[in-house]
Amino acid sequence: MSKIDARLQELGIELPAAPAPAANYVPYVLSGGQLFVSGQVSAGPDGLILGKLGDGLTVEDGAAAARRCGLSLIAQAKAALGDLDRVARVVKLVGFVNSTAGFGDQPKVVNGCSDLMVEVFGDAGRHARSAVSAASLPFGVAVEIEAIFEVK
């Protein structure tokens, strides 16, 4: 068992299956020493996590949705690399939050994903990041996050 798989087990985290693309794109691209993972939407065991932050969804709801995006990002990395121990570093996350014009806590929402990356990868999970508002997201999901990983 790899070190990261053991860490996931220790944390009680079961990765979802790597989601298939919803349109004409690939879920990830490995280029040189970097893995680019396409945006992963907030999906839970019961389907998509829908809604708008600031209009029915709380910061806590959004952070939970962002964590679900993070689980899918890690699942895509595992599908691409075969072994999560090949992740040298989480380089960057870009988070999009479906939110009202007056909502300003996008960084707190995207922390749901950022915190997961540090839980799983330790210091190698610390990353650069953007957390931006979106008037809407595909399928009406609450959060979408993309990632860049450095690969060993």
Side-chain angles (χ1 to χ4, degrees):
M1 177 181 291
S2 77
K3 178 182 165 190
I4 298 300
D5 284 336
R7 179 70 180 146
L8 288 167
Q9 188 174 43
E10 176 185 314
L11 293 168
I13 295 173
E14 186 174 329
L15 293 177
N24 188 18
Y25 63 90
V26 295
Y28 53 80
V29 171
L30 186 59
S31 180
Q34 293 188 316
L35 174 66
F36 298 82
V37 180
S38 296
Q40 301 296 299
V41 297
S42 51
D46 300 325
L48 297 175
I49 300 171
L50 306 174
K52 190 173 283 285
L53 280 289
D55 183 18
L57 292 181
T58 66
V59 169
E60 293 77 19
D61 295 332
R67 183 177 178 89
R68 294 300 309 181
C69 293
L71 291 171
S72 292
L73 289 166
I74 295 169
Q76 291 291 5
K78 185 167 187 163
L81 304 173
D83 182 354
L84 289 170
D85 284 354
R86 290 188 59 202
V87 172
R89 177 169 197 133
V90 180
V91 176
K92 184 165 185 180
L93 298 179
V94 180
F96 302 93
V97 180
N98 186 356
S99 52
T100 61
F103 184 82
D105 285 331
Q106 291 82 4
K108 290 180 183 175
V109 169
V110 179
N111 277 346
C113 184
S114 292
D115 293 347
L116 174 68
M117 295 300 166
V118 174
E119 285 177 48
V120 172
F121 296 105
D123 282 340
R126 298 195 181 281
H127 51 272
R129 184 183 90 176
S130 298
V132 297
S133 180
S136 66
L137 289 172
F139 315 113
V141 296
V143 182
E144 179 175 356
I145 302 175
E146 63 182 56
I148 302 169
F149 297 91
E150 181 183 348
V151 178
K152 297 178 194 175

